[in-house]
Amino acid sequence: MSAKARRRTTAQLDRAAQVCAQQGAQLTDLRRHVFSLILEAGAPLTAYQLLDRLKLTHKGAAPPTIYRALDFLLEQHLIHKIERLNAFIPCVEAGHRHPAQFLICCQCGVVSEIENRAATNALEHAAEKEGFRPRNTVVEIEGVCAACFRPS
Amino acid sequence: MSAKARRRTTAQLDRAAQVCAQQGAQLTDLRRHVFSLILEAGAPLTAYQLLDRLKLTHKGAAPPTIYRALDFLLEQHLIHKIERLNAFIPCVEAGHRHPAQFLICCQCGVVSEIENRAATNALEHAAEKEGFRPRNTVVEIEGVCAACFRPS
DNA sequence: AGTCGATATGATATAATATTACATTATGGG
DNA sequence: CCCATAATGTAATATTATATCATATCGACT
């Protein structure tokens, strides 16, 4: 990990701590550590992959350790769960709820988050047309990303 | 189950058998049975719920029994998997691939399938804008359905 | 400082979901 | 009939997630 990347991660962690504090929640060392693992991964990690990494420095970590941290981070809108992969990625716009869509590249495994207004509206209207009140919408588009499709 | 509903189910099973035959696949008794369980459920069923029901008449059924049947039915586009629920529902338009969106009512548990052209297009364009080639798109909207929101 | 309540973590067990691997049985084409 | 293929049987195990109860940490209040 480059020095630059580490500075970025630190900045994100600090920002996350602020966001939590505003909600009356605290980003403890443990939660901060789990969040940093997710930030540094560059690709989605499953709960047990995170657990393995956490164990390296945090002897005695067990499944509830990681699932509790993940629940917290999800509640604080610091991470997202990708349902198709049972895996977790950082939220690009940390700390507040926002509609998002995920692009999952089946070649390189990278998942990118987008926030497309037109798509969000279209889904909203589609639900409304059925008299349905949406609370939480999952959009996960599997395919091939630009980098993999036209390799440089 | 009413006689009317049973006739409907039978018709769907027969139609499914045709669809499979056209693909050079066969809807065996086992697969047909699993499909009928899904058709008759009225709500999404998980693999193990299906397994329990299958065991009633099919002694010796095991996890692979059900997962194989589910894989087959998914391939034939006879059912959908709802990722959020790890559960399965019949496809409303059996037998061919089509973009769909699912409305999951968190009050009554019913999942309904819609096929909204505008939403499909909007997602397509959102992906395209990123240079992303979509292969398979999951849209699952959780919320409250019309019936639950305004109970009659 | 002491203690109470709330929050967070530790530790063990187990539930729920899904797959691997290999054996056996049907089925249709030659 | 014989073979190849597809389908199913069977046992074991991997992966994902939760329940439960004990212990520790921390701030508010006295």
Side-chain angles (χ1 to χ4, degrees):
Chain A
M1 192 188 182
S2 72
K4 193 172 171 184
R6 185 155 32 249
R7 275 200 304 281
R8 188 170 54 239
T9 299
T10 303
Q12 286 173 296
L13 287 168
D14 291 344
R15 169 139 169 54
Q18 282 173 20
V19 162
C20 291
Q22 279 168 19
Q23 303 298 316
Q26 48 178 333
L27 191 67
T28 61
D29 283 351
L30 182 59
R31 290 164 176 171
R32 188 181 175 97
H33 189 166
V34 173
F35 188 34
S36 77
L37 291 172
I38 296 171
L39 284 171
E40 291 170 8
L45 292 179
T46 69
Y48 278 73
Q49 286 171 333
L50 285 164
L51 180 54
D52 287 343
R53 297 182 189 201
L54 184 60
K55 276 177 177 168
L56 297 177
T57 57
H58 188 95
K59 181 174 140 25
T65 313
I66 210 76
Y67 280 104
R68 283 168 185 155
L70 290 170
D71 284 347
F72 176 87
L73 296 170
L74 286 168
E75 267 169 22
Q76 298 298 316
H77 307 297
L78 295 172
I79 63 172
H80 297 287
K81 178 173 187 181
I82 306 301
E83 298 290 336
R84 288 293 290 265
L85 306 176
N86 296 317
F88 301 85
I89 62 173
C91 180
V92 291
E93 197 168 348
H96 70 93
R97 203 156 185 289
H98 63 103
Q101 297 90 35
F102 301 99
L103 305 177
I104 305 172
C105 179
C106 37
Q107 307 233 338
C108 65
V110 165
V111 175
S112 59
E113 176 179 353
I114 62 176
E115 190 173 344
N116 184 286
R117 207 54 224 256
T120 301
N121 285 341
L123 290 171
E124 173 84 31
H125 289 140
E128 202 174 273
K129 210 171 130 191
E130 310 292 322
F132 191 92
R133 309 274 161 151
R135 263 210 228 302
N136 188 29
T137 296
V138 171
V139 178
E140 296 177 1
I141 307 178
E142 260 189 347
V144 183
C145 73
C148 288
F149 185 72
R150 186 180 295 289
S152 52
Chain B
M1 193 186 182
S2 72
K4 192 173 173 185
R6 184 155 33 248
R7 274 198 305 280
R8 189 169 54 237
T9 299
T10 303
Q12 287 173 296
L13 287 168
D14 291 344
R15 169 140 168 53
Q18 281 174 21
V19 162
C20 291
Q22 279 168 20
Q23 302 298 314
Q26 50 178 332
L27 190 68
T28 61
D29 283 351
L30 182 58
R31 291 163 174 170
R32 189 182 173 95
H33 189 166
V34 172
F35 188 34
S36 77
L37 291 172
I38 294 171
L39 284 172
E40 290 170 8
L45 292 179
T46 69
Y48 278 72
Q49 285 171 335
L50 284 164
L51 179 54
D52 287 344
R53 297 183 188 200
L54 183 61
K55 276 177 176 168
L56 297 177
T57 56
H58 188 96
K59 180 174 142 23
T65 314
I66 211 75
Y67 281 103
R68 283 169 185 152
L70 290 170
D71 285 347
F72 176 86
L73 297 170
L74 286 169
E75 266 167 22
Q76 298 299 316
H77 308 297
L78 295 172
I79 63 173
H80 297 287
K81 178 173 186 181
I82 306 300
E83 297 290 337
R84 287 292 290 268
L85 306 175
N86 296 316
F88 302 84
I89 61 173
C91 180
V92 292
E93 196 167 349
H96 68 94
R97 203 158 184 290
H98 62 103
Q101 298 90 35
F102 301 98
L103 305 176
I104 306 171
C105 180
C106 38
Q107 307 233 338
C108 64
V110 165
V111 175
S112 59
E113 177 180 354
I114 62 176
E115 190 173 346
N116 185 287
R117 209 54 224 258
T120 301
N121 286 341
L123 290 171
E124 174 85 31
H125 289 140
E128 202 174 90
K129 210 171 132 190
E130 311 291 321
F132 190 93
R133 308 277 161 149
R135 262 211 229 302
N136 187 28
T137 296
V138 171
V139 177
E140 296 177 1
I141 306 178
E142 259 190 346
V144 182
C145 74
C148 288
F149 184 72
R150 187 179 295 288
S152 51

